[in-house]
Amino acid sequence: MGISRRNFCKTIAGSAVSVAVLAAMPVRLLASWSDKAFAADKLEDAIAAKYGALPIEESTAIQIKAPEIAENGAFVPVTVSTTIPGATNISIFTPANFSPMVASFDVLPRMKPEVSVRIRMAKTANLVVIAQVGGKLYRATREIKVTIGGCGG
Amino acid sequence: MKIKAVVQNNVVAVKMLIPHPMETGRRKEQNGAIVPAHFITEVTASCNGETVFHAELGPGVSKDPYLSFQFTGGKAGEKMKVSWVDNKGGTETAEEPITAM
């Protein structure tokens, strides 16, 4: 069957649309951002949205380095690490914020399971760190006192 | 974006500072208008083409995010490449060679 003019035009129009769709794509190509976990407004919901219904166990093998009292909640320096072998992801949460999920780090094969980041905390609250090891989650919690909240004006 | 990658004993320590407003979408201007959310969502770092670091960030990360991590097996002179994307589709990529301690 030869290419009729009508079909040819249709094909051209179709590919123009797909090019437009592709142009809007690059942002999503890097990987998928856990939008549901970041949008959750409760700590438990955020954890469930990120990891699903995996069992959580309290662990002392997760270390949280952070000031006991943070004078400025807009910049709370936090270092989290774990000595649990085989951890594939470490995430930081705090119920102080409207969106409890703060950041999530994939522990890639060559990476050490330790990261530092500066975070916002709206008020005195717990810092909750979750490490994923296979189909299991480990949790460590530490309270940080915040003198001046870091969200809002 | 500033990147510093220093190798010691086969371990590369990477520090980065990314200038970005990291607006939460809840802050108000003096006239009461809400400043729209504008924050980095993902940061990826690779060494000689292999991804060694991937982070998802939310508005809970401070303005001008500072991140640091370590990975093994890097050598001085190898290229450290860091890129980020934000929720508005903004993006930046920067490269910096690994230096010896």
Side-chain angles (χ1 to χ4, degrees):
Chain A
M1 201 170 85
I3 302 170
S4 74
R5 199 175 75 130
R6 180 170 297 174
N7 276 338
F8 178 74
C9 291
K10 264 191 195 165
T11 315
I12 290 296
S15 51
V17 168
S18 37
V19 166
V21 168
L22 279 178
M25 280 294 284
V27 180
R28 307 306 319 154
L29 278 184
L30 254 174
S32 54
W33 187 62
S34 313
D35 51 346
K36 285 198 179 73
F38 279 106
D41 56 2
K42 286 200 183 68
L43 178 65
E44 294 72 25
D45 296 349
I47 295 172
K50 173 66 189 163
Y51 296 109
L54 297 177
I56 304 178
E57 189 180 300
E58 301 298 326
S59 172
T60 53
I62 296 172
Q63 294 79 35
I64 305 174
K65 258 190 257 169
E68 215 161 287
I69 300 171
E71 274 181 31
N72 185 355
F75 293 96
V76 184
V78 175
T79 299
V80 296
S81 59
T82 178
T83 47
I84 307 170
T88 52
N89 181 282
I90 301 181
S91 297
I92 303 173
F93 301 83
T94 176
N97 297 353
F98 287 105
S99 317
M101 178 142 151
V102 176
S104 174
F105 304 91
D106 291 335
V107 182
L108 300 175
R110 285 170 68 182
M111 191 186 143
K112 293 199 159 192
E114 173 174 335
V115 282
S116 301
V117 60
R118 288 195 301 227
I119 68 166
R120 291 182 169 124
M121 286 184 76
K123 58 188 179 206
T124 295
N126 281 335
L127 198 69
V128 179
V129 176
I130 302 241
Q132 182 179 12
V133 184
K136 228 173 154 186
L137 301 180
Y138 294 89
R139 173 170 57 196
T141 304
R142 216 184 104 184
E143 193 193 50
I144 295 177
K145 291 193 169 67
V146 175
T147 320
I148 308 165
C151 296
Chain B
M1 165 169 33
K2 273 188 209 160
I3 308 165
K4 207 172 172 188
V6 179
V7 62
Q8 191 183 22
N9 298 334
N10 208 30
V11 175
V12 183
V14 183
K15 293 176 184 174
M16 56 185 109
L17 191 64
I18 310 171
H20 197 281
M22 294 300 280
E23 289 292 351
T24 60
R26 292 182 182 272
R27 196 173 67 86
K28 283 180 184 161
E29 296 277 25
Q30 275 181 337
N31 64 12
I34 287 180
V35 182
H38 186 205
F39 54 90
I40 293 175
T41 52
E42 283 179 68
V43 180
T44 310
S46 62
C47 173
N48 269 7
E50 186 192 343
T51 305
V52 290
F53 175 83
H54 175 244
E56 293 178 50
L57 309 186
V61 173
S62 304
K63 187 183 174 205
D64 302 336
Y66 164 84
L67 295 167
S68 78
F69 69 95
Q70 299 179 351
F71 70 95
T72 53
K75 291 180 191 70
E78 287 185 333
K79 284 247 165 65
M80 199 69 222
K81 188 169 146 189
V82 177
S83 38
W84 57 260
V85 277
D86 67 24
N87 65 324
K88 287 185 174 177
T91 179
E92 187 192 359
T93 301
E95 253 186 16
E96 191 69 33
I98 298 172
T99 56
M101 185 81 177

